[in-house]
Amino acid sequence: MRKVQAMIPKTKGRVAWESPANIALVKYWGKQPVQIPMNPSLSFVLKKSVVEINMDYVIDPDNDFKIKKFTLNGKSSEPFSEKTEQYLVRLNNFFPFLKHTQLVIDSRSTFPHSAGIASSAAAFSALALCICTIDARINEKKGDGDEFMKKASHMARLGSGSACRSLYEGMVLWGETPLVSRSSGDHAIRLSDDLVNNAFMRLNDAILITDSSTKRVSSTHGHALMDHHPYREQRKIQSGINLEKMLAALAEGDFTAFGEVVESEALGLHGLMMLSTPPYLLMHPNTIRILEKVRMFREETAIPAYATLDAGPNIHLIYPETVKSNVLPFIEQELTPYCEGKRWIDDRMGDGPNRL
Ligand code: PMV
């Protein structure tokens, strides 16, 4: 992407964005420099699991500001400040005005307190949108539209890879593949409507919390495990096959084929972790109990509800809106006993980020 070399004006203002988390159906696991995925991944954004960033800025080209103040839900937070600071340093190369900017950033999350769900995709996509909005303002460019979102997705990727998929509603693809034109490793794209049957436009995601503690394996460490993984090459091939099957299922409205890929990807991700050096077992006994219950429920009722997991023990149960009245009692009666404090989040497909 071209670096901006415009004049830096003396100005100040405020910008705020709310941006969602996303759940991957085909998983991103393993990367190459700089934050380019080892394989293409596909996801959709959530409605309730969002992060809001408020950013006050003062830009003065005659001043090299050192002052950056960060708060998380109104309180100072060491890990949040450290990650944000490192991220802004990365962005300096793309936005020369940042070196001359005093920033006060507050981040608010609607994620239930310690729900064990990663908020980094939501946070980095909201941060990227705020910085790109300031850039658009001072360079008198459009602060919306395709090019703006593409740039925001590219910048979000530099914070956390999967964050680049939080910029769009619908089904979102990140990573280059001959199967989809315009696909790229630099930024995500939204799959056009003709590629996705309406059956997949109103999905629910029941997030079943089996363990609310912080992730045992950071995604940075997890991706690095793929660098010398014995199944690295096989994973590239398998994820390509799964993506192809997933694209066909989405186009045809085939929920069974969709679900088979979703569960193969989730268990495949955990299989890769179990075969890493060192090996990790991130599922809990209750994760497995829920997976079994979901399989039995499907066999007994033929209702399309499929489970996926990220690099942790919590389950995302994905199902279409049309069967919600059947799935809700199943969750309440049969799955919540295996959740920590019976906690789960009734989330669903969202509409993407919102400028506030
Ligand atoms: O964006 P990262 O570095 O937090 O990696 C996300 C990895 C998974 O959540 C396991 C899979 C994915 O595609 O979101």
Side-chain angles (χ1 to χ4, degrees):
M1 189 163 290
R2 198 169 54 85
K3 291 184 187 173
V4 185
Q5 292 298 350
M7 284 271 294
I8 299 169
K10 193 170 178 162
T11 181
K12 61 181 180 176
R14 161 174 274 217
V15 58
W17 278 91
E18 177 190 87
S19 195
N22 65 74
I23 178 69
L25 304 171
V26 175
K27 307 289 180 185
Y28 148 54
W29 201 237
K31 58 181 162 186
Q32 52 215 33
V34 176
Q35 209 90 298
I36 298 292
M38 198 183 83
N39 64 277
S41 57
L42 188 118
S43 63
F44 64 86
V45 293
L46 301 181
K47 180 87 182 165
K48 292 187 187 166
S49 306
V50 299
V51 166
E52 179 186 318
I53 299 271
N54 285 283
M55 202 180 269
D56 287 296
Y57 60 92
V58 176
I59 304 175
D60 181 353
D62 302 322
N63 217 326
D64 274 358
F65 281 117
K66 295 273 178 283
I67 309 161
K68 315 256 190 249
K69 198 174 154 225
F70 310 110
T71 48
L72 188 61
N73 296 322
K75 296 188 188 128
S76 59
S77 151
E78 199 60 46
F80 172 68
S81 304
E82 214 170 282
K83 278 188 193 163
T84 312
E85 182 86 58
Q86 282 167 4
Y87 177 54
L88 292 173
V89 169
R90 268 190 173 187
L91 293 194
N92 276 344
N93 289 335
F94 299 90
F95 303 102
F97 71 84
L98 276 179
K99 287 197 193 86
H100 308 283
T101 305
Q102 181 184 336
L103 281 174
V104 178
I105 299 175
D106 183 47
S107 168
R108 281 173 197 274
S109 137
T110 63
F111 289 59
H113 184 58
S114 62
I117 309 167
S119 58
S120 58
F124 282 111
S125 54
L127 279 168
L129 281 161
C130 287
I131 299 290
C132 288
T133 303
I134 302 175
D135 176 57
R137 273 186 197 161
I138 65 176
N139 291 301
E140 291 170 13
K141 287 186 292 190
K142 268 180 76 184
D144 57 11
D146 289 352
E147 281 309 307
F148 174 82
M149 292 311 268
K150 194 160 120 183
K151 184 165 184 175
S153 174
H154 180 137
M155 295 305 149
R157 185 194 101 229
L158 301 177
S160 154
S162 62
C164 76
R165 299 188 312 235
S166 280
L167 278 289
Y168 303 99
E169 62 177 333
M171 290 293 169
V172 180
L173 176 76
W174 170 42
E176 206 172 331
T177 163
L179 302 170
V180 181
S181 59
R182 298 180 299 108
S183 60
S184 166
D186 288 339
H187 58 84
I189 59 165
R190 176 180 190 270
L191 287 189
S192 54
D193 290 343
D194 57 315
L195 296 180
V196 185
N197 186 288
N198 275 339
F200 296 105
M201 294 320 280
R202 292 188 71 198
L203 293 178
N204 284 275
D205 178 1
I207 309 172
L208 304 155
I209 301 168
T210 58
D211 182 354
S212 64
S213 51
T214 323
K215 287 202 288 184
R216 250 185 68 211
V217 176
S218 73
S219 46
T220 308
H221 178 56
H223 293 296
L225 294 172
M226 288 310 292
D227 289 350
H228 306 288
H229 198 284
Y231 289 100
R232 182 183 165 87
E233 293 312 309
Q234 192 53 38
R235 169 59 187 158
K236 287 188 199 166
I237 297 168
Q238 179 220 18
S239 59
I241 295 170
N242 275 348
L243 180 67
E244 191 163 6
K245 284 187 189 164
M246 174 58 81
L247 291 170
L250 291 178
E252 287 156 21
D254 183 342
F255 237 99
T256 309
F258 166 90
E260 276 170 17
V261 175
V262 166
E263 293 197 345
S264 151
E265 278 289 309
L267 297 185
L269 172 71
H270 282 256
L272 287 168
M273 279 183 287
M274 287 185 228
L275 283 163
S276 295
T277 311
Y280 289 102
L281 178 58
L282 300 181
M283 289 190 206
H284 284 193
N286 282 348
T287 313
I288 295 168
R289 289 190 182 103
I290 292 177
L291 290 174
E292 271 303 288
K293 283 271 176 193
V294 169
R295 187 184 56 77
M296 277 155 53
F297 174 70
R298 261 197 329 262
E299 275 172 15
E300 283 160 15
T301 63
I303 288 172
Y306 295 89
T308 186
L309 301 123
D310 279 334
N314 299 322
I315 294 194
H316 293 248
L317 186 66
I318 314 286
Y319 62 93
E321 181 66 21
T322 46
V323 296
K324 189 159 189 167
S325 60
N326 302 86
V327 176
L328 283 184
F330 165 63
I331 293 173
E332 290 290 356
Q333 287 154 28
E334 306 225 23
L335 303 186
T336 56
Y338 300 112
C339 297
E340 195 185 78
K342 295 201 163 192
R343 273 174 66 204
W344 69 286
I345 303 163
D346 183 12
D347 214 333
R348 62 190 158 93
M349 206 171 195
D351 311 317
N354 259 323
R355 177 126 168 226
L356 306 171

